[in-house]
Amino acid sequence: MGQDDVRIFDTTLRDGEQAPGFSLRPAEKLQLARQIDALGVDIIEAGFPISSPADAESVRQIATEIRRPVIACLARCHRADLERAAWAIKPAAQGRIHTFIATSDLHLQAKLRMTREQCMEAAIDSVRYARQHTFDVQFSAEDATRSDFDFLCRVIEAVIKAGATTINLPDTVGYSTPDETLDFFRRIRERVPHTESVVFSAHCHDDLGLAVANSLAAVQGGARQVECTTNGIGERAGNAALEEIVMALKIRSDRMPYTTNIETRQIYPTSEMLSQLTGQGVQVNKAVVGRNAFAHEAGIHQDGMLKDRRTYEIMRAEDVGAPWNPLVLGKHSGRHAVQRRCADLGFRIEGEELVEVYRALMTIADDRKVLTDQDIRSTIATLRSEHPATAQHDAIDPFDTPSAAAQHSIHESGYGHGV
Ligand code: MN
């Protein structure tokens, strides 16, 4: 990969799947893994084999079937974990063991009840042992962002020497800020010797809603792998959302000149499959994949969209594989959008009739969240039964309307960078 290529490490099936309400059966994990492969991620973290026999089997099944990306799995710095992980990735075309230990004093004292020296020893021993099973070994310093900086640097230096090829520095509890994250990665790369042979990685959590911003800052600080999940699922408030990182890098390549291998048209299908398999929907205003991400109800916005969709959209729904039905009719809608929807339904509504139809629909909309096509049909039918003379206007080809023409020009308008 080139210097400005960012590896996408997808942990939907590990960190995402371990969140409350998101557990999946092995057959479902395999189905999702196939879709994540189609999405073009570089690494799939398929599970945490020691956590259950079913998860170990599931990782092994994915490692057997999914051949293009690297298949990774998680292991604590324990022999039993590492042996199970090595077994699970054995069939992989390219298998990675991802071993981790906390390096912050808080985690060492309160959780692991270990000294810094014991932590250092366990990290080195585990990386060496993992390297006996695969050349691709990732080490994570859990709670890295709250660790003593000098100690963290010594641990990183030691595990690189022991054979780690990727160094992941998680913001395990989502505590960092973007400027701090940029500085953190930059300082570590300056301080630790022999870092040119390894890839640095960010793993950011969203407790303060900063996971994506922190991941992008890490890339600017020299990280060339980001760990993320579809729909941003994961422990607590979740991980950095894959779709947001990828689209931010794509749409704002003027500010962030980094590339990924993601097939962006597979973003929405992946999000949909994940929601269906877990039964957990996406918030409607979620960036990139939410139901409202490309929808407009307000009259001023609808009018702008009808004239040129770039007025209120910075990316195209079709570029992320999402359906594009941008005009939602409700009480905030204007006449232009109502007229367009009527035309789409085959009714030419103009002049005085438009005033009447619009007024009648807005009265209905006051009591509703959204107006349906049936509301429009029945409103027009009712008004026309009161004034039968106007009905003759509809002897038109519904496709030969300003609507269809405008729709076409909207599709033709480009979204090049710098527009
Ligand atoms: Mn995590």
Side-chain angles (χ1 to χ4, degrees):
M1 295 186 82
Q3 232 186 353
D4 296 325
D5 294 329
V6 174
R7 293 155 185 79
I8 298 295
F9 178 110
D10 187 293
T11 187
T12 305
L13 297 175
R14 202 281 297 168
D15 204 321
E17 203 255 354
Q18 78 190 45
F22 284 89
S23 73
L24 295 167
R25 288 185 282 267
E28 296 167 326
K29 286 186 73 167
L30 181 60
Q31 185 188 347
L32 200 50
R34 289 194 194 107
Q35 177 58 35
I36 294 168
D37 180 18
L39 181 60
V41 309
D42 301 284
I43 303 108
I44 294 178
E45 184 163 55
F48 189 6
I50 200 73
S51 68
S52 79
D55 210 51
E57 284 289 349
S58 175
V59 172
R60 193 163 163 112
Q61 197 178 20
I62 291 167
T64 305
E65 188 171 319
I66 311 290
R67 309 305 292 175
R68 182 196 55 83
V70 173
I71 305 299
C73 68
L74 193 65
R76 290 169 300 181
C77 288
H78 295 163
R79 278 295 161 99
D81 284 42
L82 292 159
E83 278 167 15
R84 203 88 182 115
W87 174 83
I89 58 149
K90 196 151 201 312
Q94 307 173 77
R96 172 181 298 187
I97 294 177
H98 175 194
T99 188
F100 76 101
I101 191 165
T103 49
S104 68
D105 289 331
L106 176 60
H107 277 237
L108 286 174
Q109 288 161 16
K111 185 182 76 174
L112 299 176
R113 307 199 186 282
M114 285 171 95
T115 63
R116 286 184 182 178
E117 288 66 34
Q118 290 169 320
C119 165
M120 173 77 90
E121 224 168 274
I124 294 169
D125 184 62
S126 297
V127 168
R128 278 208 190 112
Y129 184 73
R131 274 299 297 257
Q132 292 172 18
H133 295 279
T134 171
F135 287 110
D136 190 344
V137 174
Q138 172 169 328
F139 174 78
S140 284
E142 189 187 9
D143 207 21
T145 53
R146 293 193 302 172
S147 300
D148 177 83
F149 191 74
D150 293 327
F151 176 62
L152 178 63
C153 287
R154 285 197 285 121
V155 171
I156 295 169
E157 182 179 356
V159 295
I160 291 174
K161 213 167 157 191
T165 47
T166 300
I167 302 295
N168 183 44
L169 302 174
D171 186 26
T172 303
V173 290
Y175 184 70
S176 289
T177 65
D179 61 315
E180 188 180 20
T181 303
L182 192 160
D183 193 49
F184 179 68
F185 277 86
R186 197 173 268 169
R187 280 166 61 220
I188 283 186
R189 289 174 53 248
E190 280 166 9
R191 171 79 77 85
V192 179
H194 311 302
T195 55
E196 54 294 324
S197 58
V198 299
V199 173
F200 280 91
S201 167
H203 176 108
C204 301
H205 275 273
D206 210 30
D207 298 72
L208 293 174
L210 294 172
V212 170
N214 284 335
S215 301
L216 296 172
V219 170
Q220 290 177 307
R224 287 295 177 269
Q225 172 178 293
V226 287
E227 304 199 354
C228 47
T229 61
T230 286
N231 297 346
I233 69 169
E235 291 280 2
R236 307 182 311 282
N239 287 78
L242 179 148
E243 59 275 11
E244 296 178 22
I245 292 172
V246 168
M247 292 314 289
L249 290 176
K250 192 177 166 88
I251 299 297
R252 294 311 308 273
S253 60
D254 57 324
R255 300 289 299 181
M256 298 178 286
Y258 310 102
T259 52
T260 72
N261 293 322
I262 297 300
E263 174 48 67
T264 61
R265 283 165 190 268
Q266 294 297 331
I267 283 176
Y268 188 81
T270 310
S271 167
E272 279 252 293
M273 185 186 286
L274 176 61
S275 295
Q276 278 168 10
L277 290 175
T278 57
Q280 304 276 0
V282 174
Q283 77 192 62
V284 295
N285 59 319
K286 168 78 179 61
V288 185
V289 293
R291 194 178 71 216
N292 284 356
F294 300 95
H296 310 267
E297 180 183 325
I300 292 167
H301 288 224
Q302 291 182 330
D303 184 54
M305 284 295 296
L306 288 166
K307 288 167 177 160
D308 185 334
R309 64 192 282 198
R310 291 172 301 178
T311 52
Y312 289 103
E313 289 186 350
I314 59 163
M315 58 188 144
R316 301 191 299 184
E318 51 269 41
D319 290 344
V320 298
W324 192 57
N325 302 300
L327 304 183
V328 176
L329 294 189
K331 68 173 183 176
H332 308 102
S333 300
R335 266 180 235 177
H336 193 173
V338 167
Q339 186 180 34
R340 158 70 78 86
R341 180 65 61 84
C342 292
D344 288 345
L345 297 173
F347 301 104
R348 177 175 288 174
I349 308 290
E350 293 167 326
E352 192 53 35
E353 193 183 21
L354 177 59
V355 174
E356 281 185 43
V357 168
Y358 181 71
R359 191 180 295 144
L361 284 172
M362 289 307 111
T363 305
I364 298 171
D366 273 336
D367 288 331
R368 304 265 184 88
K369 301 279 185 226
V370 171
L371 286 170
T372 66
D373 289 348
Q374 192 45 45
D375 291 329
I376 295 167
R377 286 198 187 91
S378 58
T379 297
I380 293 172
T382 306
L383 288 172
R384 286 185 175 179
S385 68
E386 292 162 11
H387 313 283
T390 53
Q392 64 193 4
H393 287 303
D394 291 332
I396 54 165
D397 176 353
F399 294 102
D400 181 26
T401 62
S403 152
Q407 188 91 10
H408 182 71
S409 75
I410 283 173
H411 270 288
E412 293 303 298
S413 59
Y415 273 77
H417 297 304
V419 174

